[in-house]
Amino acid sequence: MKRRDFLKSTVVGTAGLSLGTRTTLFSQDSAKPALLGGKPVRTNPFPPWPMIADNDEKAWMECLRAKHWFRMDGNAVSTFEKEFARLMGTKDCLATANGTSALLTSLNALGIGPGDEVIVPPYTFVATINVVLLQFALPIFVDTDPETFQIDAKKLESAITEKTRCIIPVHLGGGSADLDAILGIAKKHKLPVIEDACQSHLAEWRGRKLGSWGDAGCFSFQVSKNLCSGEGGAIISDNTDLVNRCYVFHTNGAERKPTPAFSYRVKGTNVRMTEFQGTLLLQQMTRLEKQSRLREENAAYLTDQLKKIQGIRPAQSYAGCTRNAYHLYMFRYDKSRFAGLDRKRFLAALEAEGIPCSAGYSPLNKEPFLKSTLYSRGYQQVYSKQGIDQYFKSNDCPENDRLCEEAVWFTQNMLLGSRGDMDQIAEGIRKISRHASELSKT
């Protein structure tokens, strides 16, 4: 199942569920798994996403009737930028059309281009890689730490060459990459850091918000995100000059300050946020903190249960990660502890118990599009075929390969339910564990 299809199946069509309802657990000791004809652990849907309240509709209709649908100073988008910068503890913020354009804009503002190398993780959404490729730069993959699902900072310095121009750590799933190590290496080699915090709204490293540590922090407000507006993105930074350069690029080269019409400074594109998106975000922000706390509480409760099940290893956080946003709840599945039950069969069994789940990402460093892109005419003019051949010979990430065979995901809306919902998730996995031998034989 593709990530977007999985997200759609878990967040659509579940309106009306009471979050405070504690559902009743079935007695499972002798019951068959639902995949073998037994009764599922749960039949109720998980909480809906996105959640819509009266304030969303009221603000949206006010924007509609005002006919200020495009970005205007003093209206929703500029107000959101001020509020989001305040929330994240930075001096400046620029809203963009989506998280991908936030990353692309940041790379352009830093002057990343053909011949440059950008360090990235192989376990992330493809946008992190696409923006590097759009600049005709080379994505240099650094292997994953399977315990945390984050880029392995211990392997980062050995990937740096004289052509390295930027590091993009991804704070995956709501957790944090090892910023102490990453920022220390970046400072040593005088490299800018763009934090891809698209999944980590309100998460923290040592009590300070993710995205506020590097030269720039990029966020996504796509519909599945913890703070969402259908599509949308933002760049935060304490470097106002950098944000000004981002602004110029994101609005077709026009200055941030008022200038004569049709006056442009540099090349750019149009990735502005609309007033509709800004309006929704201002309203959704009023619920963000409360929702985030509920996810954290439920994730801690669920982790306490799952870590007691042999073969289930919830993702860990680094000591410096003082707050996890839990955009995803992730764990590793060891089939050897489940009578050799294949992960695909495990996922199907869990779905049958009424618990939506996903296998997560595939290894981006092995995706076919990477070869077709790098062996294209344009790339070979910059790097030569021999250079690209050598690139792929040193492109292995074995720990990430293993993680991609073991990972299991739950989406953030599942953590907005009751303790009873968490009990049922754990019971569904325990049920599969008890009957793993039967499931593996059918």
Side-chain angles (χ1 to χ4, degrees), residues 17 22-23 26 48 50 72 94 96 121 130 153 162 164 169 241 252 266 284 303 312 334 365 382 400 406 421:
L17 182 67
R22 186 179 178 90
T23 46
F26 295 110
M72 296 182 67
L94 175 69
T96 61
N130 275 336
E162 70 280 358
T164 306
D241 180 62
N252 278 313
V266 296
Q284 294 278 325
T303 296
I312 302 297
D334 181 357
N365 60 313
V382 177
N400 188 68
E406 298 176 347
D421 292 336

Side-chain angles (χ1 to χ4, degrees), residues 156-327:
L156 194 156
E157 191 158 21
S158 63
I160 294 174
T161 72
E162 70 280 358
K163 295 180 181 179
T164 306
R165 293 292 179 269
C166 184
I167 302 171
I168 305 182
V170 176
H171 302 306
L172 193 81
S176 176
D178 186 351
L179 281 176
D180 286 355
I182 292 168
L183 293 172
I185 293 168
K187 183 177 180 180
K188 176 182 175 181
H189 294 274
K190 299 180 181 179
L191 294 170
V193 173
I194 299 174
E195 295 178 70
D196 182 338
C198 288
Q199 298 180 356
S200 294
H201 312 80
L202 297 191
E204 296 177 355
W205 182 263
R206 303 199 183 283
R208 180 172 148 191
K209 299 291 192 298
L210 295 185
S212 68
W213 288 85
D215 294 81
C218 296
F219 291 84
S220 168
F221 308 123
Q222 184 264 345
V223 72
S224 73
K225 299 302 193 294
N226 299 20
L227 176 61
C228 71
S229 55
E231 290 285 1
I235 303 163
I236 61 172
S237 180
D238 284 333
N239 186 337
T240 299
D241 180 62
L242 176 62
V243 179
N244 285 340
R245 297 200 303 273
C246 287
Y247 184 96
V248 170
F249 177 82
H250 108 297
T251 188
N252 278 313
E255 292 279 5
R256 196 175 193 181
K257 59 186 178 182
T259 56
F262 307 114
S263 175
Y264 309 103
R265 195 177 86 187
V266 296
K267 71 177 177 71
T269 188
N270 177 7
V271 288
R272 295 189 297 263
M273 177 180 281
T274 71
E275 286 293 298
F276 286 109
Q277 292 167 297
T279 295
L280 269 180
L281 288 168
L282 285 170
Q283 303 310 313
Q284 294 278 325
M285 281 175 69
T286 64
R287 306 189 285 276
L288 180 61
E289 177 63 31
K290 183 177 180 181
Q291 290 169 342
S292 297
R293 291 297 177 193
L294 180 57
R295 288 188 194 96
E296 292 172 71
E297 292 167 5
N298 277 332
Y301 180 78
L302 181 60
T303 296
D304 283 343
Q305 296 199 57
L306 296 191
K307 67 184 182 182
K308 297 173 184 175
I309 303 173
Q310 289 192 350
I312 302 297
R313 299 184 65 177
Q316 298 179 21
S317 293
Y318 295 111
C321 183
T322 49
R323 189 175 190 187
N324 190 316
Y326 288 104
H327 173 64

